[in-house]
């Protein structure tokens, strides 16, 4: 699943890179100008690791890296993982442990589903917080990426 998500991210980034650069190259060929602005490899590599899906030649950058902020964000990711583990151990596993030993009935299925709604919502919020907030902000800080509009 994570490999699939990584491939989707790379395809989206490649699409953005091509969509931004092909019109520039075609217009310079049509104008028959001697200079064709092709992005450097370093610009493309920065774009691959930057937490954005929109390619630009230059991004706003912070002057320094705040390593304390990076450590805090990674600690929050680790804390989210431990909290998700706690939710599974306390709320999900006991619910489904006895369901394999009982005969299948509709009442048991409905109870399992309703008892899993709260842990599922908590896990969804944890994934949102850990990845979209903590993980992306940590990598943005390490790359000195100043435009932190992940939610738009």
């Amino acid at each position: 699943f994570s490999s699939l998500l990584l491939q989707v991210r790379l395809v989206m980034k490649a699409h953005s890179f091509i969509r931004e650069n092909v019109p520039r190259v075609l217009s310079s060929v049509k104008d028959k100008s001697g200079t064709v602005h092709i992005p450097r490899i370093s610009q493309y590599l920065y774009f691959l690791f930057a937490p954005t899906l929109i390619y630009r030649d230059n991004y706003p950058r912070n002057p320094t890296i705040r390593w304390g902020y990076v450590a805090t964000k990674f600690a929050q990711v680790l804390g989210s993982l431990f909290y998700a583990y706690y939710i599974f151990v306390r709320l999900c596993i006991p619910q489904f442990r006895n369901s394999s030993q009982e005969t299948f009935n509709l009442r048991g299925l409905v109870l399992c589903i309703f008892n899993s709604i709260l842990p599922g919502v908590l896990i969804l919020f944890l994934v949102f917080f850990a990845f979209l907030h903590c993980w992306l902000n940590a990598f943005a800080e390490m790359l000195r990426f100043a435009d932190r509009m992940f939610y738009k």
Side-chain angles (χ1 to χ4, degrees):
F1 181 71
S2 63
S3 175
L4 177 69
L5 289 178
L6 178 65
Q7 293 299 317
V8 167
R9 182 182 71 91
L10 289 175
V11 166
M12 291 170 72
K13 284 190 176 248
H15 174 73
S16 176
F17 181 78
I18 290 169
R19 186 175 172 100
E20 290 293 322
N21 288 308
V22 166
R24 281 193 282 178
V25 171
L26 292 177
S27 68
S28 65
V29 168
K30 187 171 60 171
D31 295 341
K32 304 226 189 285
S33 63
T35 60
V36 178
H37 179 71
I38 298 174
R40 296 186 314 269
I41 296 293
S42 62
Q43 290 173 326
Y44 182 68
L45 285 176
Y46 184 83
F47 169 64
L48 283 181
F49 291 102
T52 184
L53 292 174
I54 300 170
Y55 177 79
R56 298 287 181 256
D57 288 334
N58 296 315
Y59 294 100
R61 307 278 302 266
N62 289 332
T64 60
I65 299 173
R66 300 174 294 172
W67 290 107
Y69 182 79
V70 172
T72 301
K73 292 301 172 188
F74 281 133
Q76 289 175 350
V77 170
L78 191 62
S80 297
L81 290 174
F82 281 124
Y83 189 48
Y85 172 75
Y86 178 77
I87 289 171
F88 275 115
V89 167
R90 295 303 248 170
L91 297 175
C92 294
I93 293 175
Q95 183 65 36
F96 293 104
R97 181 174 288 144
N98 297 332
S99 64
S100 64
Q101 298 168 351
E102 297 174 2
T103 60
F104 177 77
N105 59 7
L106 187 60
R107 180 182 179 273
L109 177 68
V110 170
L111 283 175
C112 278
I113 290 172
F114 279 112
N115 288 334
S116 299
I117 290 175
L118 179 63
V121 169
L122 288 174
I123 296 295
L124 181 69
F125 284 143
L126 278 174
V127 167
F128 175 79
F129 175 74
F131 180 71
L132 288 179
H133 182 71
C134 299
W135 189 264
L136 291 179
N137 270 310
F139 274 94
E141 186 65 33
M142 287 190 296
L143 291 171
R144 298 184 314 151
F145 188 78
D147 185 18
R148 310 254 175 107
M149 301 267 209
F150 307 126
Y151 308 115
K152 285 191 175 183

